[in-house]
Amino acid sequence: MVCAIDICNQALFHLGVAAISDLDDGGDISAVACKLFYDSALRTALRDHPWGFAKTEVRMSPAENQDDYPSYNYAYQYPYDCLRPLGILNKNRKDSKKIEYDVQINHSRTGKVILTDQENAILSYIVFIDDPNLYDGWFVEMLVLCLASKIAGKLTGDTSKSKNMLAAYLQAKDQAQAVAGNENYEEPSFYNDFLQARN
C-alpha cells in the first residue's frame, strides 16, 4: 500500500532531507512544504498525459441557458472532477475526424461549460485521482520528482537543486509517457482516412 506520505518522503530523500511522519505537523517545515505543494504536484503530473488509470468518459449533462452560447449548437456542464479534457468522442470509431469543442466560463461565473456542435456529447477526460494505489509505478516516480522540484528551493536553499529535480522530473515524464503509450492501441489515422476515402 502506498500513501501520500510515502511519496512525500521519497521526494525528501531525493533532497537529502529527513523523512516526516505526519503531513499535518505544522512545526515541521518539511511537512508544511509537502502538504502545501503535494496537491499542485499531483495535478501537474496528472495533466501531463492521458494516463490509463486516470482516464474516463461520460455522457455530458446539458448546461442551463443553452441560448447564451450562440457560437455552438450545444452547451454542456464541465465535469466537476475533470482535470483536462481529452476530446469529444466520435461514436463512429472508423472516423478519425476530431470533433470541435471549446471550453468557456459560464455566464454566472460559477463554473465552466463545454461547447460543441455534437448532440448527446460524450467527453473523454483526465480525472483527479488522489489514491496512490491506483497509480502506475512510473507515474509515482514522476510525481515524486515533480514534488521534489517544487519544494527543493524552500527546504535546501539551493536553486540548482530545484533545477536538477525539474530536469529529472522531465526525464521521468518522458519515460512514463512512453510506457503508458504502449498500453493503448488505436488504428493509424492513415488507415481511417483510407476507409473514409473508400466510402
Side-chain angles (χ1 to χ4, degrees):
M1 299 286 287
V2 181
C3 62
I5 200 165
D6 295 328
I7 292 171
C8 291
N9 279 328
Q10 288 182 54
L12 294 173
F13 180 83
H14 278 290
L15 300 177
V17 176
I20 60 175
S21 58
D22 184 0
L23 278 171
D24 293 319
D25 183 356
D28 186 336
I29 186 61
S30 296
V32 171
C34 286
K35 184 173 182 179
L36 183 62
F37 287 97
Y38 181 84
D39 185 76
S40 172
L42 176 56
R43 290 175 184 274
T44 296
L46 284 170
R47 287 177 58 89
D48 270 340
H49 186 77
W51 313 108
F53 66 83
K55 186 167 63 174
T56 192
E57 58 188 59
V58 67
R59 189 177 300 280
M60 290 188 289
S61 301
E64 296 181 358
N65 305 319
Q66 297 275 316
D67 293 339
D68 287 348
Y69 309 94
S71 59
Y72 288 89
N73 290 325
Y74 301 97
Y76 297 95
Q77 297 175 26
Y78 194 91
Y80 75 94
D81 57 355
C82 177
L83 275 183
R84 172 190 165 196
L86 298 175
I88 305 292
L89 297 181
N90 194 325
K91 296 188 70 173
N92 179 5
R93 300 186 64 83
K94 298 297 183 184
D95 184 356
S96 63
K97 183 178 180 181
K98 295 185 180 298
I99 298 174
E100 183 178 343
Y101 70 94
D102 189 25
V103 177
Q104 298 182 9
I105 193 162
N106 63 22
H107 289 289
S108 60
R109 306 297 189 267
T110 57
K112 292 184 283 189
V113 292
I114 295 180
L115 310 178
T116 180
D117 289 328
Q118 179 68 35
E119 186 179 13
N120 298 319
I122 298 173
L123 180 71
S124 174
Y125 65 97
I126 295 296
V127 180
F128 179 71
I129 299 290
D130 59 0
D131 181 358
N133 292 291
L134 296 177
Y135 304 158
D136 175 86
W138 287 96
F139 177 84
V140 171
E141 179 60 19
M142 180 181 140
L143 174 57
V144 164
L145 292 168
C146 184
L147 177 59
S149 71
K150 289 179 180 291
I151 63 177
K154 300 296 182 185
L155 297 184
T156 69
D158 185 352
T159 56
S160 65
K161 198 76 170 179
S162 295
K163 293 178 181 178
N164 291 340
M165 289 297 103
L166 179 59
Y169 163 66
L170 294 175
Q171 184 177 8
K173 180 174 74 168
D174 288 343
Q175 293 174 328
Q177 289 176 340
V179 171
N182 291 327
E183 293 181 347
N184 303 319
Y185 172 75
E186 293 182 1
E187 290 180 329
S189 60
F190 72 83
Y191 178 68
N192 293 333
D193 293 342
F194 172 72
L195 289 176
Q196 282 186 293
R198 287 190 61 186
N199 294 332

